[in-house]
Amino acid sequence: MNLPLTLVSPVEPRVTLRAAGAGDLEQLRAWKNANKKGFFFRGEITPQMQKAWFASYLLRPEDFMFVVEHEGRKVGCMGFRLQKDGPADVYNIIAAPGDAGKGLMKAAMALMCAHIASRHTKDIGCLVVKGNPAVAFYEHCGFKIIADGGDHHVLKLMANKKT
Ligand SMILES: CC(C)(COP(=O)(O)OP(=O)(O)OC[C@H]1O[C@@H](n2cnc3c(N)ncnc32)[C@H](O)[C@@H]1OP(=O)(O)O)[C@@H](O)C(=O)NCCC(=O)NCCS
């Protein structure tokens, strides 16, 4: 996705989702490398790999990555991808160290899912590696486990009250 896009929460906590840019790459890389065990790819992402990812990301209009901001600070990241057959998958959901547990990521997820539902599709899901305690976070955000994917859970957003 190479268009500027900013989503602003209308309610407290007033998080903002800002389309990630080249200036965010090192921060995104650090967050991802610090949380390897929660994701499918568990290798170390090098600066070169991160640049290559960003160059290909810019060519994918169905792929959206945001930096979550609160009171002018970067507090995390999250993204979504539109699949060819219609549904959207949310992914790369990471809270910055020191900003986890404040309800900011749940607010950001509600904002992102409301945007997906109003602009793209109400069919929103995600895949969570088994053993990742983040599955409870998704459940607090309104997702439910609907299938067993072997090494991962398949979740769907059950109710999008913003639409
Ligand atoms: C998942 C993650 C983004 C959640 O961020 P967070 O800042 O803790 O989320 P919030 O403070 O917005 O929490 C929202 C709700 O989820 C709950 N929650 C979050 N993490 C939880 C956990 N591990 N276990 C139980 N509940 C959890 C919170 O208690 C809160 O509940 P509430 O709705 O009753 O208030 C963060 O733990 C993280 O970065 N994890 C590492 C990266 C990762 O694994 N990402 C997911 C990949 S699939």
Side-chain angles (χ1 to χ4, degrees):
M1 204 277 285
N2 59 8
L3 295 174
L5 176 61
T6 302
L7 309 174
V8 182
S9 173
V11 293
E12 294 292 343
R14 291 187 187 273
V15 291
T16 297
L17 294 182
R18 174 180 55 72
D24 300 307
L25 286 187
E26 274 305 293
Q27 182 65 85
L28 293 177
R29 188 173 78 86
W31 286 338
K32 190 67 169 261
N33 281 336
N35 288 281
K36 288 187 194 93
K37 64 180 190 309
F39 293 93
F40 290 94
F41 176 73
R42 295 190 174 175
E44 180 80 8
I45 298 171
T46 64
Q48 292 73 21
M49 288 161 72
Q50 186 75 343
K51 279 185 191 150
W53 163 75
F54 190 63
S56 60
Y57 160 79
L58 291 177
L59 299 175
R60 291 194 295 272
E62 75 287 2
D63 196 351
F64 301 79
M65 183 54 56
F66 299 98
V67 173
V68 182
E69 295 182 336
H70 182 248
E71 296 178 345
R73 289 183 309 109
K74 298 180 185 184
V75 298
C77 59
M78 61 179 56
F80 71 92
R81 292 181 278 230
L82 301 171
Q83 296 175 28
K84 283 195 179 65
D85 52 347
D89 267 334
V90 301
Y91 78 108
N92 206 47
I93 318 291
I94 308 175
D99 286 298
K102 298 178 179 175
L104 301 176
M105 296 303 283
K106 183 177 170 184
M109 180 69 89
L111 181 61
M112 186 168 78
C113 290
H115 169 77
I116 299 169
S118 68
R119 296 292 176 89
H120 301 287
T121 174
K122 291 186 170 53
D123 188 352
I124 301 170
C126 68
L127 307 179
V128 181
V129 173
K130 282 185 182 169
N132 187 342
V135 74
F137 163 77
Y138 288 102
E139 288 171 337
H140 280 255
C141 291
F143 289 76
K144 286 212 175 357
I145 296 175
I146 57 150
D148 185 333
D151 63 348
H152 63 273
H153 301 292
V154 180
L155 290 88
K156 282 282 179 199
L157 182 62
M158 289 296 140
N160 194 327
K161 295 184 180 135
K162 301 274 180 194
T163 59

